[in-house]
Amino acid sequence: MGKALVILPTYMEKETLPVVLAEILSRPQADVLVIDDNSPDGTAQIALEWAGRDRRVHVMVRAGKLGLGTAYLAGFRWGLAEGYDCLVEMDSDMSHNPADLSRFIEETDKGADLVIGSRYMGGKISVLGWDFKRLLLSKFGNIYASSILGSSLSDMTSGYRAFSRRALERIDFDKIRSGGYAFQIEMAHTVLLTGMRVREIPIIFTERAKGSSKMSGQIIREAVWLPWRLRLRQVKSSLRRALGLQKIKEAKG
Ligand SMILES: Nc1nc2c(ncn2[C@@H]2O[C@H](COP(=O)(O)OP(=O)(O)OP(=O)(O)O)[C@@H](O)[C@H]2O)c(=O)[nH]1
Ligand SMILES: [Mg+2]
């Protein structure tokens, strides 16, 4: 089994972080990297105390709230440099069940490059605690992104997922621009474009019981534009390739 790292981005999660950490560390499979954006509630302090007691816990504290996407990219960079083979994304609010962790790691061990924990596999909805509006937003967001990008994934926006080292090494992090939810869509699309192996496994998502959501209008707006931006990027690179081929032909002819 490869070495696995769970990356936990945190912003104002002092109530839920200790529960998530205890759950992950009660299992043998993975180390943890907490990336806190200097939460005013002192989440970083809690993480640092855990790191002082347990060598499996690592902490990165950033200057301020810099967004989920850049937190994960910083975590990927750190994890690759430290020699981890499987890098798992997990929310720190207990929406994602740490008991599922072994299934993600197993799939990457079997050769998957990206394993997505899907809430919508087989036409079912596996979400507990959401009102109709929130469910509609998530479900519609998925259908919207998948139709524009031509993906057959059931849950492109899910934040419970695992990447193989190979997958992350092939991605140019400097080209990933999204900060919020859109980050998940952009990463999934990028892996699909490279032709690597993407696998979905069913998960049950539970709405947070404590703390508050960081979702904002700006995060939703970013996710609305992203699929179009990605399509445009694809069209541009196809055009560039076609023009390049044309020039080679002309030079030869
Ligand atoms: N480091 C860091 N973590 C963040 C940031 N924004 C959100 N997070 C964390 O990312 C995870 C997901 O954020 P949530 O607020 O739970 O967003 P959500 O899951 O879309 O919203 P809910 O469904 O209402 O929980 C949580 O662990 C947050 O603490 C950020 O800017 N920086
Ligand atoms: Mg959440």
Side-chain angles (χ1 to χ4, degrees), residues 12-25:
M12 305 286 279
E13 303 288 6
K14 73 165 184 204
E15 287 173 295
T16 55
L17 181 65
V19 186
V20 182
L21 281 176
E23 286 282 336
I24 297 172
L25 296 168

Side-chain angles (χ1 to χ4, degrees), residues 7 30 51 54 101 127 147 151 154 195 202:
I7 303 170
D54 192 325
L101 203 50
V127 173
S147 343
S151 135
S154 67

Side-chain angles (χ1 to χ4, degrees), residues 10-235:
T10 56
Y11 192 74
M12 305 286 279
E13 303 288 6
K14 73 165 184 204
E15 287 173 295
T16 55
L17 181 65
V19 186
V20 182
L21 281 176
E23 286 282 336
I24 297 172
L25 296 168
S26 70
R27 299 173 169 82
Q29 296 100 351
D31 293 351
V32 181
L33 171 65
V34 177
I35 304 189
D36 186 70
D37 280 359
N38 209 2
S39 304
D41 71 349
T43 305
Q45 226 34 57
I46 296 172
L48 288 164
E49 277 161 28
W50 277 76
R53 293 195 297 269
D54 192 325
R55 289 159 55 98
R56 287 168 63 198
V57 181
H58 307 272
V59 185
M60 191 185 288
V61 185
R62 305 197 300 171
K65 194 170 186 312
L66 296 168
L68 190 70
T70 58
Y72 274 128
L73 292 180
F76 294 153
R77 284 195 174 97
W78 185 88
L80 291 176
E82 292 292 316
Y84 289 95
D85 305 298
C86 170
L87 296 99
V88 183
E89 296 183 10
M90 191 193 284
D91 285 359
S92 315
D93 56 2
M94 282 302 283
S95 284
H96 299 147
N97 189 349
D100 292 331
L101 203 50
S102 55
R103 293 198 289 134
F104 284 87
I105 300 169
E106 263 164 40
E107 291 300 335
T108 53
D109 277 345
K110 279 195 254 165
D113 291 303
L114 168 60
V115 185
I116 298 182
S118 170
R119 300 159 290 184
Y120 305 120
M121 260 175 106
K124 280 195 250 158
I125 297 174
S126 303
V127 173
L128 304 175
W130 271 359
D131 59 20
F132 185 67
K133 209 173 113 198
R134 184 75 174 79
L135 196 61
L136 206 66
L137 180 68
S138 168
K139 189 80 184 119
F140 174 76
N142 258 297
I143 295 170
Y144 173 82
S146 299
S147 343
I148 296 169
L149 296 170
S151 135
S152 57
L153 294 172
S154 67
D155 198 353
M156 270 196 123
T157 60
S158 172
Y160 200 2
R161 47 174 72 188
F163 293 89
S164 69
R165 155 178 284 275
R166 183 181 45 233
L168 293 178
E169 280 174 343
R170 283 187 64 183
I171 293 174
D172 182 355
F173 293 160
D174 292 337
K175 293 214 170 107
I176 306 290
R177 307 306 276 266
S178 314
Y181 267 177
F183 174 77
Q184 309 298 5
I185 302 170
E186 187 166 6
M187 287 298 284
H189 179 69
T190 308
V191 174
L192 282 170
L193 268 190
T194 57
M196 287 188 276
R197 273 163 292 187
V198 181
R199 180 153 168 55
E200 287 189 300
I201 58 172
I203 57 156
I204 297 174
F205 178 99
T206 312
E207 173 60 333
R208 63 161 75 241
K210 290 197 171 131
S212 60
S213 175
K214 277 96 216 170
M215 176 116 74
S216 64
Q218 197 261 327
I219 285 175
I220 296 173
R221 276 194 298 279
E222 182 188 50
V224 168
W225 288 114
L226 177 84
W228 297 110
R229 252 195 330 124
L230 293 177
R231 285 293 291 162
L232 193 69
R233 201 193 283 171
Q234 251 176 293
V235 170

